[in-house]
């Protein structure tokens, strides 16, 4: 039985902790904050409650696998999952609207043809065919296997170039995919929205980001009753049942090294905790910036980590009046000029409102991080855009609460939101590998392979547990 210290109580770190505890190890989690969940937070006031992190779950099979492997109760006995249908309503800058069904390619094609004109659906369907090629080429190395020691093959673009006459035209960015292949600014905006939802700028992100809409439209979008925070509650309780210990308000300031490998951690109060393995779920950029991991002791080999320079602003809206009967769960309000869209989440969930005569609405948008932002003005523009999705929004508004990237930095250690690993772009969008150059130290969570997003974070926990339990024989999740 090994002693394992886990830094941080985010979803990926807790997923690793539960799996390692089931394997017979003694696991203790040290969390800098007062609660678990990391970016999967909750804000509550006056009977209203809001998710301050992700609002929907994609690839729920990741968490189904976690619960199967760590206990008798399956995921659906611990949380209530429902598919969101329609998956989303899109309101374009010219006023056109389209509702896209959940996990139905034929339905999506028909909806796009009806709303945008004949041929729009076919062009989107052809794009998804090419996106599937990129998905098939990268699914195992980017999602199910540890990052290879030589990631050079993943630096190449997997998205196939469409034929133009007898030639194939190279495509380097997702925005170019939209312009060249979709040939409708509304379809291009639809494509861009999937990139922005993960913090990627479509003008700079590689064409391989086509896997993001493919993944969502193929496997669907799911809502957890009570909000996504309920999933964090369930994972935390599963850890507790597996006898994982949690210590809150306990920042880790250093990873200890002995005989060339990780040997424990030092807490902010000076206490040193010995360990056979250390798993860090903290943001890798913060570890680097704050010198928690002394990179200079790793033969000068600084682990690669992804930086996007984008964060997320969340505005929680408490509304008087009941949610209208034909309201949809998610509406994406598109902007002109390539600006990030605004996403409006309106879950029909009694757990998030004081009574049936009120409604909780969450509005989010990607934003460039950095000083000098007027967040209140930015939030005001977000609310104005949300008015295109919520009837009589300003008249119904009781109050709003704004959560900025700086609030995210205070709670998690980084103002940025990590994106999932993407191939291409010379490898610059590959996150830190799970296995670090310092033996005994592993990275889990959204800042490590396979990257950001709830599903990806859960996969990272499975990969780290496999690397520790099976060692060099581990070849990936099955």
């Amino acid at each position: 039985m090994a002693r394992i210290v886990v830094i941080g109580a985010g979803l990926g770190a807790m997923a690793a902790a539960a799996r390692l505890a089931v394997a017979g190890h003694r696991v203790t989690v040290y969390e800098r904050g007062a609660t678990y969940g990391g970016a999967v937070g909750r804000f509550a006031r006056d009977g209203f409650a809001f998710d301050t992190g992700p609002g929907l779950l994609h690839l729920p099979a990741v968490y189904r696998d976690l619960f199967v492997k760590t206990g008798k109760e399956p995921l659906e006995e611990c949380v209530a999952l429902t598919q969101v249908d329609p998956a989303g309503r899109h309101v374009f800058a010219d006023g056109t609207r389209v509702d896209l069904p959940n996990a139905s390619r034929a339905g999506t094609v028909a909806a796009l043809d009806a709303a945008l004109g004949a041929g729009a659906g076919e062009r989107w369907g052809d794009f998804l065919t090419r996106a599937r090629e990129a998905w098939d080429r990268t699914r195992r190395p980017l999602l199910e296997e540890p990052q290879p020691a030589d990631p050079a093959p993943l630096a190449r673009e997997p998205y196939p170039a469409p034929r133009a006459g007898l030639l194939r035209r190279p495509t380097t960015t997702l925005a170019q995919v939209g312009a060249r292949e979709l040939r409708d600014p509304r379809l291009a905006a639809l494509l861009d929205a999937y990139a922005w939802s993960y913090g990627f700028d479509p003008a700079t992100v590689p064409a391989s980001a086509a896997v993001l809409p493919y993944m969502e439209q193929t496997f669907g979008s799911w809502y957890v009753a009570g909000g996504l925070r309920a999933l964090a509650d369930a994972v935390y309780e599963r850890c507790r049942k597996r006898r994982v210990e949690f210590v809150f308000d306990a920042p880790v300031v250093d990873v200890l090294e002995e005989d060339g490998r990780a040997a424990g951690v030092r807490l902010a109060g000076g206490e040193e905790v010995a360990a056979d393995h250390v798993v860090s779920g903290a943001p890798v950029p913060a570890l680097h910036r704050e010198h928690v991991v002394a990179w200079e002791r790793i033969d000068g080999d600084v682990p690669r980590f992804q930086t996007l320079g984008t964060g997320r602003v969340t505005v929680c809206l408490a509304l008087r009046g009941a949610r209208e009967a034909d309201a949809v769960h998610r509406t994406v309000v598109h902007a002109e000029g390539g600006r990030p869209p605004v996403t409006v989440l309106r879950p029909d969930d009694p757990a998030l409102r004081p009574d049936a005569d009120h409604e909780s609405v969450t509005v989010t948008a990607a934003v460039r991080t950095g000083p000098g932002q007027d967040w209140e003005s930015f939030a005001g523009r977000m609310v104005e855009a949300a008015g295109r999705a919520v009837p009589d929004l300003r008249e119904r508004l009781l109050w709003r609460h704004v959560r900025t990237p700086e609030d995210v930095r205070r709670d998690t250690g980084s103002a940025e939101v990590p994106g999932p690993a993407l191939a291409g772009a010379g490898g610059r969008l590959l996150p830190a590998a799970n296995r670090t150059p310092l033996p005994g130290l592993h990275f889990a969570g959204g800042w490590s392979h396979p990257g950001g997003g709830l599903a990806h974070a859960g996969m990272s926990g499975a990969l780290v547990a496999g690397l520790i339990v099976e060692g060099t024989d581990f070849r990936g999740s099955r």
Side-chain angles (χ1 to χ4, degrees):
M1 178 176 67
R3 301 165 299 174
I4 298 178
V5 163
V6 177
I7 304 173
L11 267 292
M14 289 197 294
R19 291 174 182 271
L20 289 167
V22 166
H25 300 300
R26 192 171 75 226
V27 184
T28 303
V29 178
Y30 292 91
E31 164 59 44
R32 60 182 283 173
T35 188
Y36 51 86
V40 185
R42 169 64 57 88
F43 175 76
R45 171 181 159 190
D46 301 338
F48 295 90
F50 310 83
D51 282 324
T52 58
L56 292 172
L57 176 63
H58 307 296
L59 293 176
V62 173
Y63 288 92
R64 290 190 180 110
D65 182 70
L66 170 65
F67 277 72
V68 166
K69 300 291 177 56
T70 60
K72 295 180 179 179
E73 305 89 357
L75 177 64
E76 276 81 352
E77 287 188 14
C78 301
V79 298
L81 281 175
T82 56
Q83 280 192 296
V84 176
D85 204 3
R89 172 174 293 164
H90 290 262
V91 180
F92 296 103
D94 68 352
T96 307
R97 297 182 173 223
V98 60
D99 289 357
L100 299 183
N102 198 333
S104 171
R105 178 165 171 173
T108 296
V109 167
L112 290 173
D113 273 341
L116 307 186
E122 181 181 4
R123 291 196 299 277
W124 184 261
D126 289 344
F127 155 73
L128 286 182
T129 297
R130 290 186 288 276
R132 178 175 180 173
E133 288 188 46
W135 169 267
D136 290 341
R137 292 171 181 174
T138 60
R139 177 179 58 86
R140 278 209 57 82
L142 280 188
L143 296 180
E144 299 171 2
E145 299 173 347
Q147 195 177 102
D150 178 13
L154 294 176
R156 295 193 289 268
E157 175 59 63
Y159 182 78
R163 289 193 177 277
L166 297 177
L167 302 175
R168 287 184 178 270
R169 293 187 298 183
T171 302
T172 58
T173 70
L174 195 68
Q176 289 176 331
V177 171
R180 293 177 179 176
E181 301 174 28
L182 299 179
R183 304 191 305 279
D184 184 314
R186 295 164 298 183
L187 284 179
L190 173 62
L191 177 59
D192 289 352
Y194 287 98
W196 282 120
S197 69
Y198 286 94
F200 294 117
D201 183 340
T204 59
V205 75
S208 63
V211 300
L212 303 177
Y214 173 80
M215 179 180 69
E216 181 173 325
Q217 293 198 2
T218 300
F219 303 107
S221 301
W222 301 73
Y223 178 68
V224 179
L228 267 290
R229 180 65 184 182
L231 177 63
D233 293 340
V235 176
Y236 173 71
E237 290 301 324
R238 177 54 54 91
C239 285
R240 292 291 303 274
K241 289 181 178 179
R242 301 285 80 82
R243 299 185 178 179
V244 175
E245 295 183 18
F246 286 81
V247 183
F248 295 103
D249 298 312
V252 171
V253 297
D254 196 9
V255 172
L256 305 177
E257 181 224 338
E258 184 176 321
D259 297 329
R261 63 172 289 118
V265 298
R266 181 180 294 112
L267 306 181
E271 178 187 356
E272 295 187 354
V273 180
D276 301 296
H277 299 274
V278 176
V279 176
S280 177
V284 175
L287 294 175
H288 184 233
R289 182 181 63 247
E290 298 167 11
H291 306 290
V292 175
V293 175
W295 308 114
E296 67 273 9
R297 284 186 264 164
I298 314 178
D299 299 326
D301 186 4
V302 178
R304 176 195 306 107
F305 55 84
Q306 180 193 87
T307 56
L308 302 181
T310 55
R312 186 168 291 128
V313 176
T314 301
V315 185
C316 306
L317 303 178
L319 305 185
R320 64 170 64 88
R323 180 181 186 270
E324 67 271 19
D326 61 348
V328 299
H329 188 111
R330 173 174 58 173
T331 300
V332 180
V333 181
H334 296 266
E336 294 180 337
R339 297 192 306 276
V342 168
T343 299
V344 183
L345 296 179
R346 306 179 65 191
D348 187 10
D349 191 340
L352 304 184
R353 60 191 183 225
D355 53 50
D357 293 324
H358 294 84
E359 183 183 5
S360 297
V361 174
T362 305
V363 185
T364 62
V367 65
R368 289 290 180 188
T369 56
Q373 290 276 12
D374 183 348
W375 296 119
E376 283 298 321
S377 295
F378 188 84
R381 294 192 293 273
M382 291 172 60
V383 173
E384 182 178 356
R388 300 177 65 192
V390 183
D392 304 318
L393 174 59
R394 289 204 172 273
E395 292 76 12
R396 297 176 59 196
L397 183 61
L398 294 171
W399 51 260
R400 76 185 190 192
H401 171 78
V402 181
R403 181 173 170 82
T404 74
E406 289 309 310
D407 296 320
V408 178
R409 185 197 303 278
R410 181 197 63 225
D411 293 343
T412 69
S414 177
E416 292 187 27
V417 175
L422 292 179
R428 64 181 174 84
L429 293 180
L430 296 176
N434 306 115
R435 185 191 288 115
T436 77
L438 180 64
L441 173 65
H442 292 81
F443 290 149
W447 287 100
S448 63
H449 182 75
L454 279 175
H456 294 72
M459 292 176 199
S460 79
L463 291 173
V464 166
L467 288 167
I468 291 175
V469 173
E470 299 183 33
T472 56
D473 293 332
F474 182 64
R475 295 292 180 266
S477 303
R478 299 290 178 182

